[in-house]
Amino acid sequence: MGSMSMLTTDVAVVGAGPAGLYAAIEAAKAGAKTTIINEYVEPGGQLTKQIHKFFGSKEHAAGVRGIDISAKLLGSIDELKVEKRMGTLVWSIFHSNILAIAHNGKSEMLRANKIILATGASENAFAFPGWTLPGVMGAGAAQTLINLQRILPGNRVLMVGAGNVGLIVAFQLLQAGSEVVAVVDALPYISGYCVHSAKIARAGIPILTSHTVKKAYGEISVEGVMVVKVDNQCKPIPKSEQDMKVDTICIAVGLTPLVELAWLANCRFTWVASLGGYVPLYDDKMETTVKGIYVAGDAAGIEEASTAMEEGSIAAISAVESLGLMTQQRAYALRAEAYERLRSFRIGPFGKLRDQGKQFIWRERQKYAERI
Amino acid sequence: MRIKVHPVLGPLKGKATIEIEVDGRRISAIPGEMISSALIAAGIKVFRTTHKKGEPRGYFCGIGQCTDCMMTVDNIPSVRTCITPVSKGMKIKTQYGHGKWEV
Amino acid sequence: MQRGFKLTGVLTDAELHRLPGAPSVERAAKGPVAVIECAEEFPCDPCEYSCAYGAIIVGQPIINLPCLDEDSCTGCGKCIAQCPGFAIFVMNLNYSKKEATVSFPYEFLPTYKAGEVVNAVNRSGKVITKGKVVDVKNLTNQDRTVVITIAVPKEFGWDVRGIERKEVKAYDR
Ligand SMILES: Cc1cc2nc3c(=O)[nH]c(=O)nc-3n(C[C@H](O)[C@H](O)[C@H](O)COP(=O)(O)OP(=O)(O)OC[C@H]3O[C@@H](n4cnc5c(N)ncnc54)[C@H](O)[C@@H]3O)c2cc1C
Ligand code: SF4
Ligand code: SF4
Ligand code: FES
């Protein structure tokens, strides 16, 4: 590293989705020199391809389209003179305070007093015979094609997964002009919100619960798919196959927190199924087991844009507090307000599981602290 | 196929003003779009074949993670076409196996 | 046959009438009123802020199901385009002697024009009757969510929730 130039900042935010953007805004407001780094050229994270109006609370711009929320947040980032490094990958963290960044094939080192990881999530794969055929793709990948690149992936699509992502992307494929033949899910019920499944049902698209893909077939790309009914143990029921002629199969079977950087920084982890898999341990300040490294948003467990924004704020408030840029009392008060709002999101049939997941992480974090 | 009109995003603004070459065939592309987009718009789905079994692969993750979309671009093998923008006169080749540098 | 919105995405009549967002049968018979078909507790509240008459209440906690104050609701239809879940409809069972109207959000192309005869669909997307477009609204504050009102035979008022999309081929590309 010796000969490489060393850049410096107070707070480095990795990821410019809702969590990262809120974190950067909060840190810059408190007077910290803030740098936000994002791998994709366009900032906004998931928001850049969400053309639908977001549910959520009025304070978090619910009812506004994801693409427009992102535009508004970016305005604040510019006003507050946050340093933006877009199209820039953070590929490692050294000594828990140096970020290795790469832009257009050129590497640089950035020393940051505090690091906030808001790297979001990646799509889970789902293997079945034929799943590597061209024409099978992630639902998010299809969404990037239709909403950012304005390209139709195919004419007839099967959506695998009836969670919110599968239902929303199926609807957006219809809006783009594809035909969606069905949405299938191996679960015996629809896991996404009813408002999304109702839109799909009204459009005349069958949602087949307790169904999965047996195989996809085609010479050099997808020409069709065999869908099969499954029992409660997820075992295929003989003679229940349906042959569907499709040219595209979209996979929406869940997201996993994108946390490679936290692994590289030696953060402790735990497994929380309701939050999408392995997540770093953190406390109520969103600080991981490595001092000065915070996490927020989907990287801290898969949730929603509103919760990602609150967690981004909490992480940034804690970071600037520990930098001495905010009094303990004020930081405490702001965090308490944020947790009050978060509490109202984390109840009910969907929120409860995530709340339990968060509580579990805090307990594990506590245990870890006691062991040390 | 390009989505020319859209109920939320409106009419397509970009114009396919440049040409690129794919395995010797000329196709049009919108400046700034990803190579994979221009290909899919032209109906091309197979981007490479695997080293061992020669199985076809194409666009899968769209964010540079899976490497299924790698092709040989201007003689450089294994370029991820989903995160590489087109440029005028670019020469793209279906990649067989690991591909090779062609100088 | 599976039933219930958790299995099919389609509310059954019993599920619908239990919702705090659904008007009573008596109120609906009187004239225009909102039907809020939002059946699950998740954090969301723009509907509450969209109604100038205070007829939609979510309150705290934010996961509460939206509740319709049916006496305050004028059936103005402002809330339809503001609901990100496309879950609000306005029904006028008193539109004319034989017809009811149903207003719903629509975000597909091509859109429809007033006067067009259309195939009206129910919550499962099944065509159940012919209808006629009586109004198409696309105001700036609707932010690209078009609100279409169609007239259908009165007995279909509680069931019609949309129209068949035009052929995908009709897309101009
Ligand atoms: C189809 C779909 C619909 C949704 N609809 C809603 C909705 O209606 N309402 C709602 O509240 N939520 C919704 N969500 C969820 C919401 O979008 C996410 O929870 C939210 O975007 C998470 O924010 P984030 O900032 O944590 O991550 P993201 O938005 O994913 O942003 C992460 C960013 O980090 C960058 N990054 C990752 N790794 C690196 C690295 N190593 N170096 C540099 N940069 C990196 C990425 O490029 C990306 O820009 C939806 C999600 C999907 C997929
Ligand atoms: S129809 Fe009008 S009055 Fe009734 S709830 Fe909606 S906005 Fe309020
Ligand atoms: S805005 Fe729509 S989706 Fe959100 S709570 Fe109200 S009715 Fe339900
Ligand atoms: S499609 Fe996965 S890397 Fe390009």
Side-chain angles (χ1 to χ4, degrees), chain C residues 95 111-118 131-137 146-151 163 166:
Chain C
Y95 177 67
T111 47
Y112 285 81
K113 284 193 289 291
E116 272 185 81
V117 173
V118 295
K132 199 171 129 193
V133 179
V134 296
D135 187 37
V136 179
K137 272 203 180 62
V146 177
V147 173
I148 299 182
T149 303
I150 60 174
I163 40 184
K166 285 186 183 168

Side-chain angles (χ1 to χ4, degrees), chain A residues 53-58 65 68 171 174-177 188-190 192-194 198 201-203 209 344-345 347-348, chain C residues 2 6-7 9 40 43-45 61-63 81 84 86 89 107 123-125 142-145 161 165 168 171 173:
Chain A
K53 295 177 177 173
F54 269 38
F55 50 80
S57 80
K58 179 92 171 151
R65 295 180 194 277
D68 300 331
F171 190 78
L174 293 175
Q175 290 182 304
Y189 60 91
I190 298 166
Y193 293 165
C194 67
R202 278 201 300 276
T209 50
S344 66
F345 293 135
I347 49 180
Chain C
Q2 295 191 312
K6 263 326 231 182
L7 301 177
E40 276 169 336
C44 188
D45 69 0
I62 187 177
I63 61 152
F86 290 4
F89 306 85
E107 251 184 38
R123 293 182 185 83
S124 323
Q142 292 173 209
D143 186 19
R144 293 162 278 178
T145 306
R161 285 300 174 265
R165 283 169 298 129
V168 174
Y171 269 68
R173 63 165 79 82

Side-chain angles (χ1 to χ4, degrees), chain A residues 108-354:
Chain A
E108 281 179 297
M109 296 293 149
L110 169 66
R111 185 197 301 277
N113 290 328
K114 303 287 165 194
I115 297 173
I116 299 173
L117 300 176
T119 43
S122 63
E123 292 193 274
N124 295 345
F126 172 49
F128 47 82
W131 77 289
T132 56
L133 274 175
V136 180
M137 65 183 75
Q143 209 185 18
T144 304
L145 271 187
I146 54 178
N147 296 343
L148 275 173
Q149 300 280 317
R150 299 280 300 250
I151 306 283
L152 217 54
N155 291 317
R156 288 173 59 82
V157 186
L158 174 77
M159 178 61 68
V160 184
N164 282 331
V165 174
L167 295 169
I168 289 173
V169 177
F171 190 78
Q172 293 178 354
L173 280 161
L174 293 175
Q175 290 182 304
S178 289
E179 218 180 302
V180 178
V181 295
V183 178
V184 298
D185 200 306
L187 286 175
Y189 60 91
I190 298 166
S191 61
Y193 293 165
C194 67
V195 290
H196 296 311
S197 54
K199 285 188 296 190
I200 294 296
R202 278 201 300 276
I205 291 144
I207 303 174
L208 306 173
T209 50
S210 297
H211 278 74
T212 191
V213 174
K214 189 175 176 193
K215 65 167 190 191
Y217 59 87
E219 191 96 6
I220 54 162
S221 64
V222 175
E223 289 165 29
V225 60
M226 288 294 233
V227 165
V228 65
K229 204 165 158 40
V230 294
D231 63 19
N232 282 344
Q233 267 75 54
C234 221
K235 283 211 202 67
I237 296 172
K239 300 209 181 70
S240 66
E241 287 89 355
Q242 278 180 62
D243 188 2
M244 298 180 182
K245 295 283 170 239
V246 296
D247 54 15
T248 306
I249 300 171
C250 288
I251 311 291
V253 294
L255 302 170
T256 300
L258 205 55
V259 286
E260 276 158 16
L261 291 174
W263 285 113
L264 289 168
N266 261 325
C267 296
R268 290 295 158 130
F269 277 78
T270 188
W271 173 271
V272 192
S274 63
L275 294 175
Y278 280 105
V279 277
L281 292 183
Y282 46 83
D283 56 17
D284 57 354
K285 296 179 172 173
M286 302 308 296
E287 192 167 16
T288 65
T289 51
V290 176
K291 209 171 164 357
I293 299 185
Y294 301 77
V295 345
D298 279 357
I302 309 298
E303 281 193 274
E304 287 168 0
S306 320
T307 50
M309 292 172 188
E310 293 291 357
E311 287 191 344
S313 306
I314 293 171
I317 288 161
S318 309
V320 295
E321 173 194 17
S322 120
L323 284 173
L325 294 168
M326 189 184 277
T327 62
Q328 275 183 356
Q329 290 88 328
R330 177 142 175 81
Y332 183 85
L334 288 176
R335 268 195 303 268
E337 280 172 30
Y339 274 111
E340 193 52 43
R341 288 189 294 268
L342 277 173
R343 233 187 310 283
S344 66
F345 293 135
R346 289 177 180 158
I347 49 180
F350 298 96
K352 208 168 56 200
L353 281 175
R354 299 192 307 237

